[in-house]
Amino acid sequence: MKRRTIATRTIVPSREVQRGIIGGLMLLGGWEAATRLLELPTYVLPPVSGIVQAIVERRAALAAAAGYTGGEALAGYLIGCTIGIGVAVLLALFPWPRRGFVSVATAINSVPVVGYAPLLLLWFGTGIESKIAAVAFAVSFVVFISTLAGLDRVDRRAVDLMRSFGAGKLAILWRLRLPTALPLIAAGMRVSTVRSIIIAIVVEMLGAYGGLGWVIYQAVMQIDFVQVWAAIFVASAISLVFFNLIGLAEWKLVFWR
Amino acid sequence: MLQKERPSATAGDPAKPILELRNVNKTFGSVAALHDFRASVALGEFVTVVGPSGCGKSTLFNIVAGLEEPDTGGILRFESRSVHASDLLGRVSFMPQRDLLFSWRTVIDNAILALEVEGVPRKKARAEALGLLPEFGLSGFADHYPHQLSGGMRQRVALMRTFLFKRELMLLDEPFGALDALTRAMMQRWLLDVWQKNRRTILFITHDVDEAIFLGDRVLVMTARPGGVKLEQRVDLPRPRSPDIVTSPAFIEIKRALLAAIEEESMKSFAAANFREYAQ
Ligand SMILES: Nc1ncnc2c1ncn2[C@@H]1O[C@H](COP(=O)(O)OP(=O)(O)OP(=O)(O)O)[C@@H](O)[C@H]1O
Ligand SMILES: [Mg+2]
């Protein structure tokens, strides 16, 4: 549960967060114990301690890779959000092409990223552009759908109230429909954070000059499974940070819920 | 304050109707909501409208607010000009049945919504609204959000929003419908007070016959659906009206006449509902 006071809203680590941390620690502890007790070979599952040690040892390279991937994901995310919200708003103002547009977008999006990633590499090259494009594409769809749903959620009577004041389409959009849609837009944006990191990594694995996906690919080639896990841990960490940053912004922005 | 001084004390001048409706019909598919509705509202008059639930009261308001076009053939006149309903958008101050406050706006920003739409700079609009807060019993609540208010306060914010949209004709759709009896009585007196100070023409929907008589210069009783005017009852009680006027013989006599008419119509709509159930 979110807690807030009337005037200023303070952040209290909620029971959910505490439970999440405890759960995570228990998982890692169980993992460590299992690998030691069962003496699992590292290519099956390395111990957590080994992975953490690897992260510390290779921190410079991992940080560079994380920055690379994070940069791609963030750029694609911002572009995707802008396109998603922008197109949804346009369709709210000019609704006639809406049905066709939504079906085409849905059809294209039912193909998984790996499906069209080779094409993106072909069109945008092996550099960061192809990753940004893939992320932007996927994010824009999610944000588009949630924005559209949010804009539709508006109370007809509230629209009528605005109309009775002589408000036009733009005033109604700005003062009523967008604020009404904000909770859903924010939810779509929050969900998209994790997706954007995943997609950046997946496309990197298919061809890149750097980034966590590239690190994972190289490590697999060299049969260095500790390195694979180290990169996965770092990816999870940046996903978590990204997700929670947007969640925090959402919590501040959508204060009335 | 909302400056609109009118010399005459009570009932508006019938020679100067601000709103006239004649032969107004409205059908939604197979449902006839209004049938041959006719009424005339004088400038500065306080007219209350009562009628059985679902008889078309809100539909009438939607038409007068310009939100809904009546069926063709009816006559709609506003400020002595024949108009389409849509011409009335932005020219009538309309308070819908639910308060419809925007949860992301503070009390003050909800109140100035119409002013903002009209293009008044926010700062100026806020200053004006701040001055009105005490009169609407909202002092100190300027920066509160709707979810922090009681039902009565929310209703007053909605009323304030309606008042700040300064149009001669105000439409209030059951503004006190959701309030408990005590708060309601207080709000009624308060509304008369505000109205006395800034005369506007008010059309006021209610389910409560006492409220209709206590507030109005005239009461319109509507028929069961399709809604028309069943009875027009003048209320010649002196103003300002004190709360105990409801026990005066004159009040009770008016009430008796109204109740008889309403009873008849309620029975009709009840019978119609029962009939529909049997028919199914
Ligand atoms: N947009 C609409 N589409 C279809 N039917 C409608 C519409 N608006 C109203 N109606 C119908 O018209 C009739 C009158 O509705 P209206 O809301 O005007 O009643 P009312 O007198 O305000 O009722 P209440 O006292 O319960 O508020 C109802 O039968 C309703 O179902
Ligand atoms: Mg109604």
Side-chain angles (χ1 to χ4, degrees):
Chain A
M1 276 299 301
K2 293 169 180 180
R3 294 182 198 181
R4 57 202 48 169
T5 59
I6 285 174
T8 56
R9 295 177 312 124
T10 49
I11 299 159
V12 184
S14 64
R15 197 160 284 175
E16 258 173 56
V17 172
Q18 289 168 13
R19 279 198 194 139
I21 291 172
I22 292 169
L25 287 177
M26 278 168 63
L27 179 74
L28 293 178
W31 177 340
E32 182 76 23
T35 50
R36 281 177 192 268
L37 292 175
L38 305 175
E39 293 176 358
L40 295 175
T42 48
Y43 62 83
V44 176
L45 194 65
V48 179
S49 55
I51 298 169
V52 172
Q53 196 185 345
I55 292 174
V56 174
E57 277 166 11
R58 306 167 194 180
R59 58 185 176 275
L62 282 171
Y68 197 89
T69 302
E72 291 166 348
L74 188 65
Y77 179 79
L78 292 178
I79 296 171
C81 289
T82 311
I83 293 174
I85 296 172
V87 174
V89 165
L90 278 178
L91 283 187
L93 286 176
F94 311 102
W96 43 271
R98 174 171 167 160
R99 277 196 138 194
F101 196 92
V102 172
S103 350
V104 171
T106 310
I108 296 174
N109 243 274
S110 58
V111 182
V113 207
V114 248
Y116 56 80
L119 287 177
L120 290 174
L121 288 172
L122 200 66
W123 293 335
F124 295 98
T126 317
I128 59 170
E129 293 86 352
S130 48
K131 286 76 187 173
I132 294 176
V135 172
F137 188 70
V139 169
S140 66
F141 180 71
V142 175
V143 174
F144 166 70
I145 292 295
S146 57
T147 306
L148 213 52
L151 290 170
D152 284 347
R153 225 174 38 159
V154 68
D155 187 339
R156 245 208 67 182
R157 289 164 301 188
V159 173
D160 280 348
L161 177 71
M162 292 290 285
R163 284 176 60 217
S164 83
F165 293 146
K169 266 190 171 186
L170 270 178
I172 292 174
L173 179 75
W174 181 244
R175 296 207 157 80
L176 174 63
R177 295 186 75 179
L178 273 176
T180 312
L182 197 57
L184 273 185
I185 298 176
M189 285 176 64
R190 180 160 41 87
V191 174
S192 299
T193 52
V194 176
R195 248 190 121 179
S196 66
I197 303 272
I198 293 171
I199 288 169
I201 290 176
V202 167
V203 181
E204 278 170 2
M205 289 172 75
L206 298 174
Y209 301 124
L212 290 169
W214 180 78
V215 168
I216 292 171
Y217 181 77
Q218 298 292 320
V220 170
M221 288 288 118
Q222 292 156 19
I223 325 180
D224 181 357
F225 291 103
V226 176
Q227 173 84 326
V228 173
W229 280 103
I232 289 174
F233 270 40
V234 172
S236 301
I238 59 174
S239 286
L240 213 61
V241 169
F242 195 6
F243 181 84
N244 282 301
L245 276 180
I246 299 296
L248 188 68
E250 175 185 358
W251 189 67
K252 286 269 171 205
L253 217 59
V254 190
F255 57 86
W256 61 88
R257 293 191 82 199
Chain B
M1 256 310 304
L2 317 167
Q3 55 305 84
K4 270 272 150 74
E5 284 304 322
R6 205 167 307 284
S8 88
T10 47
D13 183 358
K16 262 212 270 169
I18 180 170
L19 178 73
E20 285 176 273
L21 300 150
R22 254 177 286 153
N23 189 29
V24 169
N25 295 283
K26 178 73 193 175
T27 42
F28 296 104
S30 61
V31 177
L34 289 178
H35 177 69
D36 190 20
F37 190 92
R38 50 184 67 233
S40 151
V41 178
L43 203 60
E45 198 180 14
F46 198 136
V47 177
T48 50
V49 181
V50 289
S53 188
C55 74
K57 300 183 296 293
S58 295
T59 304
L60 169 71
F61 269 28
N62 283 338
I63 291 171
V64 178
L67 299 166
E68 202 102 59
E69 216 49 68
D71 300 346
T72 49
I75 291 171
L76 190 56
R77 290 173 70 80
F78 185 72
E79 292 176 336
S80 309
R81 263 192 222 128
S82 199
V83 290
H84 289 290
S86 59
D87 299 331
L88 297 174
L89 282 174
R91 292 172 64 187
V92 171
S93 187
F94 168 57
M95 176 170 168
Q97 199 161 356
R98 281 192 35 225
D99 62 49
L100 296 175
L101 297 180
F102 291 1
S103 43
W104 54 92
R105 282 175 171 250
T106 58
V107 164
I108 203 81
D109 288 344
N110 265 293
I112 63 169
L113 182 63
L115 295 179
E116 261 187 62
V117 170
E118 286 187 287
V120 178
R122 225 181 234 211
K123 227 175 137 189
K124 193 165 160 255
R126 280 200 185 123
E128 184 180 349
L130 270 174
L132 276 181
L133 281 180
E135 195 177 337
F136 283 76
L138 293 164
S139 325
F141 284 91
D143 296 326
H144 282 58
Y145 285 92
H147 70 267
Q148 300 165 333
L149 305 178
S150 71
M153 292 169 93
R154 291 176 64 104
Q155 218 51 276
R156 284 198 294 262
V157 178
L159 270 165
M160 188 169 162
R161 181 182 60 195
T162 314
F163 264 84
L164 276 170
F165 187 50
K166 300 179 212 75
R167 296 296 182 269
E168 181 49 51
L169 178 60
M170 287 179 53
L171 308 175
L172 310 180
D173 193 346
E174 287 198 51
F176 309 143
L179 303 181
D180 62 275
L182 271 177
T183 317
R184 195 178 178 128
M186 241 176 53
M187 296 284 292
Q188 289 166 1
R189 265 174 281 153
W190 167 83
L191 177 64
L192 280 188
D193 215 49
V194 175
W195 177 67
Q196 223 98 32
K197 276 190 240 154
N198 355 237
R199 263 318 175 68
R200 306 248 198 113
T201 311
I202 295 184
L203 253 179
F204 185 108
I205 290 178
T206 176
H207 270 120
D208 182 339
V209 180
D210 281 5
E211 181 168 83
I213 305 168
F214 183 67
L215 294 176
D217 294 318
R218 199 147 53 94
V219 182
L220 297 183
V221 179
M222 284 179 70
T223 64
R225 206 184 64 221
V229 178
K230 162 104 176 166
L231 175 72
E232 264 189 72
Q233 174 71 51
R234 201 147 258 303
V235 181
D236 284 320
L237 301 172
R239 291 187 191 271
R241 296 175 182 168
S242 69
D244 54 14
I245 204 169
V246 297
T247 55
S248 72
F251 189 99
I252 289 172
E253 194 178 322
I254 295 172
K255 187 170 170 180
R256 190 169 292 139
L258 290 180
L259 281 177
I262 292 168
E263 170 85 6
E264 212 180 302
E265 288 312 310
S266 299
M267 289 308 287
K268 261 192 228 164
S269 64
F270 190 68
N274 272 344
F275 174 75
R276 268 201 302 281
E277 252 166 49
Y278 280 120
Q280 270 165 13

